[in-house]
Every structure is written in C-alpha cells, then in structure tokens.
Amino acid sequence: MNKKVLVGMSGGVDSSVAAWLLQRQGYEVIGATMKLWEEETQDSRCCGIDDVRDAQAVCQKLGVPHYVFNYKDLFRREVVEPFIGAYRQGQTPNPCILCNRYLKFGAFLRRAAELGIDHIATGHYARIARELKTGRWLLRQGKDLKKDQSYFLYTLTQPELERLLLPCGDYTKEEIRAFASESGLPVAKKRDSQDICFVPDGDYAAFLERYTGETPKKGQFVDREGKPLGEHQGIGRYTIGQRKGLGVALGRPMFVSSIDPERNTVTLVEDEKLLYRQEVIAGDLRFTSLPREALETLTPVTARIRYSQGMAEGEAILLGDGKLRVWFREHQRAVTPGQALVVYTGDVVACGGRILG
C-alpha cells in the first residue's frame, strides 16, 4: 500500500488533528469534506460553509490539498429517509451509525480508491489492531474511554478496517486539544458538535414535520391494559423511557414503555421498574472483529444498548434465525427498538446490530 491517505475533515478539532498526526507520521495527506446537507436551511450547522472553510484553513496550514465531495443525495437516501421511516414505526434510530456505514466508510472509501489512495482516516476515538494469530483486524476502544466512539463504528468490515487509520484513538481529548494549540491549527478552540448534524436543535418531531410536510397524527396514550389516558401528539415525539415532555397531565410521573405504530398508541406506566429488561434481541448484524461462528455458542461479553448507557456484563449467542440474543446479568433500562446493541470481548468490538426488542 502507498502512503497516501484521504482524511475526512469535518472542520472540527479531532479530524484536523488526525490530519496533522498522519502528516507527522510520514503520510501524504489529502483532506476532504463531505457535503451532506443543505447549508441554506435553518439546519445550517450540518456541513455548513463555515465548516468547509475551517477544513480548508487547516489544510492550507498543513500545506495539503482539500476537496469537497457532494454526497447530499446519498445522505438523504441512506440516512435521512431511514431515520424518518424508523420514527414512523415507533422506533428511535441512530443516524450517525448509518452515516458511518454508507457515507464515511462506504462512499468515502470508494472515492479514495478511485483517486488511487489506499488509506482513509477520520478523527474518531477508537483504535485498530491486527491479531497475529488469525490475521483478523480488530476494532478496539479508544484510549480515552470517556470519548470512545467504537460503538458508532461496529458496521465496519474487515476490508474497511484494513484501509482505515484512526490516529486520535491513541490519545485523550485533552491531548488532542493540546496538539491543536501547539501546532497552531486555526480550529484549536472550536467547540465540539453534540447533536445529530441535520437536527442541531434536537427537536426531532419538528424536523420530521418540516421535512415531510406532514402533520403528526394524534393518538391515544394508554395504560398496560389499553385504557385511554389522554391524547398524544404523534408517535415521533416519544421514545422508550421518556418521562418529561409527554404533553399530558396525569397528576403523577409516567414513563413511555412501548409504542404501537399500527394502533397509533403510546403505552405509559407509572412503575419505572417495568422499563427494565435482561434480554435484548438484535438483527441486521455486522460481525466487526470476530467471525460469526465465534458467537454460535454462549459467550461471556460486555455490551451497551445505547451510546449514553454504560457497559454491562452478559452472555451472547447467535440464534438460528440469524439474530443475536444478549442476556444481561443486571436489568437494563429502556431497551429501545432502533438503537444499536454493540457487543465487546474485552476492549474489542465483536459485533453489533439493530435492536428489535
């Protein structure tokens, strides 16, 4: 392989330092920013002109070329439309995982190959290693466990891992910030982005209504026996475990326990203990570091059912229908269809999939 690397540059600190680190390691760096969303809309904080300019400024500082790739159509088809479809089905999707799968490590890698570039790189906090005994590539947690992003990368395949470089994974966030300042990168003090890029205000329901032009269909809140409790404002406004912002006064705290898109109902429970479960089933599996057969027998693992929830110990097994079952030692709160179940052995991402129930 050659020493050229196409670095996905968002205009933020992490991807900028990734380019700087790789240049110091002797790689011929080419920067590229993916155009994913319409900058002229009110959702302009996603891939906007300021981010492109910041990426260009960093590349100019490093003395490397910079390109902008237009992936807006692909982003709508593979990320935004499935995002909307999942909410219509009463699920809570994770669009960042879809973006990684189809854009950052799909289309981007293909573009690199077209340009004769063997490697791509991003600013994600995770690490890649090769197991000498088997020759398989391993996706590992980043050094900074508080910033570790391996959860979002479980869809990576063995060929993709072979060509991917993640230089930030060997450092803490504080060290990356220090590198940016010491090297004089123009984005050194830029704040990190926290929200879903195309819904920067976090109001998913308003985005769905604005994007589709459809008024959410109202329905009924019900209890576990199906007794009406009041009117909801559209199932896209709710997620499993939610307590605040229900829009109905019941005189006591209530939690969303399930969503039924066919009946257009949202079930509420008063007892929060009813939100806890030990078993999780996932489908649409991707075997990241371990081969499929490694989980055909009951295997001790750690796993997480969403990025904001910590690791939990359990046992995993691949079922006959191709789905994965994880039985946790301790009950997990608010298992949510549409979110990702990501399974680890030690610090290695074994596999992951979309939670079905």
Side-chain angles (χ1 to χ4, degrees):
M1 286 189 174
N2 59 41
K3 292 283 282 186
K4 290 184 178 180
V5 57
L6 187 66
V7 183
M9 302 185 68
S10 65
V13 175
D14 299 331
S15 58
S16 298
V17 172
W20 177 79
L21 286 169
L22 290 167
Q23 189 181 58
R24 285 171 59 89
Q25 292 170 20
Y27 284 91
E28 181 183 342
V29 171
I30 300 96
T33 302
M34 291 183 286
K35 191 69 176 169
L36 303 178
W37 198 241
E38 295 290 349
E39 65 194 46
E40 62 269 18
T41 69
Q42 58 184 303
D43 301 313
S44 59
R45 278 175 281 178
C46 169
C47 317
I49 190 64
D50 289 341
D51 293 322
V52 173
R53 286 172 177 165
D54 285 341
Q56 289 173 334
V58 171
C59 287
Q60 185 174 14
K61 171 73 176 179
L62 298 178
V64 303
H66 176 266
Y67 298 96
V68 177
F69 299 151
N70 185 348
Y71 289 141
K72 290 190 289 186
D73 290 343
L74 183 63
F75 185 74
R76 286 180 183 276
R77 183 173 69 250
E78 301 293 356
V79 179
V80 179
E81 296 292 345
F83 174 86
I84 293 169
Y87 268 106
R88 283 174 170 161
Q89 293 300 311
Q91 300 179 358
T92 303
N94 193 320
C96 296
I97 290 173
L98 291 177
C99 185
N100 286 334
R101 179 173 181 173
Y102 294 107
L103 278 298
K104 293 178 182 175
F105 307 112
F108 197 70
L109 193 55
R110 290 192 295 273
R111 181 63 63 88
E114 292 169 0
L115 296 172
I117 302 171
D118 287 336
H119 294 287
I120 65 168
T122 69
H124 286 94
Y125 286 83
R127 292 177 287 181
I128 297 171
R130 195 168 195 183
E131 190 175 47
L132 295 179
K133 183 178 180 181
T134 65
R136 289 185 66 86
W137 294 92
L138 307 179
L139 175 64
R140 301 173 56 205
Q141 290 179 285
K143 175 184 175 181
D144 189 341
L145 294 181
K146 293 182 295 183
K147 296 294 292 184
D148 170 56
Q149 294 172 304
S150 61
Y151 173 90
F152 295 107
L153 305 179
Y154 79 84
T155 63
L156 285 165
T157 65
Q158 286 290 299
E160 289 168 348
L161 286 169
E162 183 178 9
R163 296 180 59 192
L164 176 61
L165 303 174
L166 300 174
C168 293
D170 291 320
Y171 301 96
T172 65
K173 181 67 179 190
E174 289 73 20
E175 289 172 323
I176 293 297
R177 283 280 182 189
F179 288 149
S181 296
E182 293 166 7
S183 59
L185 295 181
V187 296
K189 295 183 179 179
K190 188 173 181 178
R191 293 176 59 185
D192 292 336
S193 176
Q194 301 292 335
D195 300 307
I196 292 175
C197 60
F198 58 94
V199 193
D201 61 2
D203 191 342
Y204 309 130
F207 169 79
L208 295 175
E209 185 172 357
R210 185 168 64 248
Y211 183 87
T212 64
E214 302 171 359
T215 301
K217 184 180 178 182
K218 297 180 180 181
Q220 287 293 317
F221 285 118
V222 297
D223 64 16
R224 295 180 72 198
E225 286 71 44
K227 177 183 176 182
L229 298 173
E231 187 177 68
H232 71 64
Q233 302 301 308
I235 61 173
R237 292 185 176 274
Y238 310 100
T239 187
I240 306 301
Q242 181 178 340
R243 179 176 70 85
K244 297 181 179 180
L246 298 179
V248 61
L250 297 171
R252 60 196 187 281
M254 300 286 281
F255 302 86
V256 174
S257 67
S258 65
I259 299 170
D260 188 332
E262 293 185 3
R263 293 186 174 88
N264 194 29
T265 58
V266 177
T267 300
L268 303 180
V269 296
E270 187 174 0
D271 186 357
E272 190 175 6
K273 293 179 181 178
L274 295 173
L275 300 178
Y276 285 79
R277 291 171 45 191
Q278 279 186 283
E279 182 182 85
V280 179
I281 303 294
D284 189 20
L285 303 178
R286 305 280 283 196
F287 287 84
T288 320
S289 302
L290 298 189
R292 177 179 291 267
E293 55 268 25
L295 294 177
E296 289 180 347
T297 57
L298 202 60
T299 304
V301 298
T302 56
R304 59 192 348 162
I305 61 172
R306 65 179 69 208
Y307 180 64
S308 59
Q309 210 144 322
M311 291 279 202
E313 295 182 346
E315 295 178 318
I317 189 168
L318 189 64
L319 303 177
D321 59 2
K323 298 183 179 66
L324 185 74
R325 172 184 176 270
V326 174
W327 182 266
F328 288 98
R329 293 184 182 178
E330 297 184 358
H331 288 72
Q332 301 298 299
R333 185 186 186 279
V335 175
T336 305
Q339 288 288 296
L341 170 71
V342 180
V343 174
Y344 294 75
T345 55
D347 70 346
V348 173
V349 177
C351 67
R354 180 169 50 84
I355 294 175
L356 303 176

